[in-house]
Structure formats: structure tokens, C-alpha cells
Amino acid sequence: MTSSSDLPTPGHPSDAWVHCACGERHWGTHGAAGLLLTDGGRVVLQHRAAWSHHGDTWGVPGGALLPGEGAPAGALREAREEAGIDAGAVRLLATSVLQHPDWSYTTLLATAGAPVRPRATDPESVEVAWVACDDVAGLPLHPGFGLAWPQLRDMLVRRPLLVVDAANVVGSVPDGWWRDRRAATARLRDGLADALADGLDADLLGLPGQRWWPDVVLVVEGAARGVPAPDERTRPWRAGSLTVVSAAGSGDDAVVRVVEEALSVSVAGSGDAVEEALSASAARSGDADDAAPVGAARRPADVTVATADRGLLARLPPGVGTASPRAVRGLGRPA
Ligand SMILES: [Zn+2]
């Protein structure tokens, strides 16, 4: 465990206080991270032991990051140590970072993809429980979590989708792509798949917070049709899906159809239903024009289309965001 009592017994070098230029002290010389897990209407909260820093309050399971450990990995490790939450049962959604002069705290937002029965599994927790989102603000909250909760709650209900107009994005940089459109499209696909390991910048998707793991639909057309879904990446966690849709005819028509279906089709259940629907769609992505994915209905603000095609932009439903083709094209590649 990474304890945060007033008289800690350091287990490793990062288990120590940071005396921050903000005037406070914070736990974890490499920063700290915690997991905010939702099943839709509830979140997992930890009732912290009285002896801990800001004791006898409710917050998220979390603690000091290890040297070299990324925030998502650290948050999931702490959630397992303190709350018995199996990383295999969660699907990453986003991160939100509280940045101090000399320290930072990353909240990892995630959805439960399988039944999770959290429990207090170390002395820092008095209790770990599912709490209805509506009841959270009424609890004595850890001050940092209490300040962040309104925005975190808003982020928890977002279901980001990035739809990529592959022909337009591939064509945004004159690097010889025209010699082999299919290979250039496969490189774009692989860059997207690699980038999804660490999540995409919130700015790219027009969303709050720092990083997001959206579902991604790559719409391919013409010579790039039939580009397969990417090879399965080995990941320590589950995150957004990457689906390839081959347009039978116009790529623009297919992009519009994917967006309209995302906004209208409703599938009951959790994010898992979305994932399964998108996977099913990926499996038939070599087929023609009915290959658009289905999923839970999303809000227009959760959908982003990567294209600079003015004709296509004019056809998108109101409220749908757009992303720069060059920014999307650079994903997963060395700068
Ligand atoms: Zn500080």
C-alpha cells in the first residue's frame, strides 16, 4: 500500500510528502492518482481511515505513483490494493489532472465493464462502497475530491466517439500517400491504435479534462476499402474500440451515416454494449454500405469528426465537433 498517515513508513522512495510551493504538503514525490469508477448511476468511493491525511472523509481509492509509473497504471494498482477492484473489470474513459506547482493528482475515470464488488482491502480504508451519484455531494468529502466532483460527474456521462474521414486525413500531408493509398490508410489506422494506448488529448476532442479513450471509427473509401481492423494490441487495461468501416460508395455518406447512427441508436446497458456493438461492426467492416456501427445514443458534443472537407462539414448534425486532420494524422507517430 502507499500509506498517507502523518508518520509514514516509506515503502519506496516516492512514499513521502512533497512540500509544495502552494503552501501545502502532498503525498507522493512522483504525484498521486486515484480511480473514479462508475456503473452509470453510482461511483466507488473510499471512506478513509481517521488516521489518514484528511481522515474520516470520502474520496476515491488512490495513492502515490511509483517512479516511472503512469497515472492510469498507478490508479488501477491503488484501486486493486485498497478496494479490491480488478483492472480487467474496468474500461478507461478519461483522466483529469489537478496540477500544483510541485505535485499533481490524476483522477482516472472509468466505467465498470463487469460486476464489481469493491471492498476495503487495506488499513487505509474504513469502507469502500458503491455510492449513488446523487448522494456523493452530501457526504463529508476529501477536500480535493469535493472540489473536483462537479466536473468529474459531468465527465463520467460523456461517451466520446471520434469518426475519422480517412481519405481526407491521409491527404492532409503531402508525403507521397498517393503512391499507395491503402498502405497510407493502414499507417493512419496503426497510429490511431497506438495513440489509444495513452488516450487522446482532450483538446483534440473538445472535451474537458486531460486525456480520453474514445471509441474510434475509421471510415475508408476507394482504394483503401477493405483495410482490416488493426492487430489486437496487448494492453494492461481495456479502453476505447477502433473500428474500420469500408464505404461502399461515397466516404462522406458513410461518415454522415456513422454520426447519425451514433446520435440516434440506443442500446440498453453499459459501455460494454457499445463495445460489443462496435466489435460486431468491425467484424463485418469488409462488407459494404450497411457496415456503419451501432451503439448507445450519444450527445452531439461527444462526437468529433476528423475532416477538413467543407462539403462533409456542412452535412454534419448541429453540435458535432470537428478535429484537425493534421492533428489526427500525427497521432501515434514520433514528433
Ligand atoms: Zn500544492
Side-chain angles (χ1 to χ4, degrees), residues 15 17 23-24 51 114 128 130 160 165 197 231 261 294:
D15 268 351
W17 292 104
E24 294 177 42
W51 51 263
V128 174
W130 284 109
D165 176 2
D231 296 336
E261 288 200 16
V294 294

Side-chain angles (χ1 to χ4, degrees), residues 18-26 99-104:
V18 171
H19 293 276
C20 183
C22 78
E24 294 177 42
R25 58 178 189 159
H26 313 293
Q99 185 65 53
H100 277 246
D102 300 303
W103 182 81
S104 68

Side-chain angles (χ1 to χ4, degrees), residues 65-85:
L65 294 173
L66 302 174
E69 182 179 49
L76 292 172
R77 176 182 52 74
E78 290 283 344
R80 185 182 65 245
E81 292 173 2
E82 297 186 347
I85 295 171

Side-chain angles (χ1 to χ4, degrees), residues 37 42 44 79 83-86 89 112 114-121 128-130:
L37 181 67
R42 304 178 298 172
V44 172
I85 295 171
D86 174 11
V116 171
R117 289 181 190 80
R119 61 197 188 282
T121 49
V128 174
W130 284 109

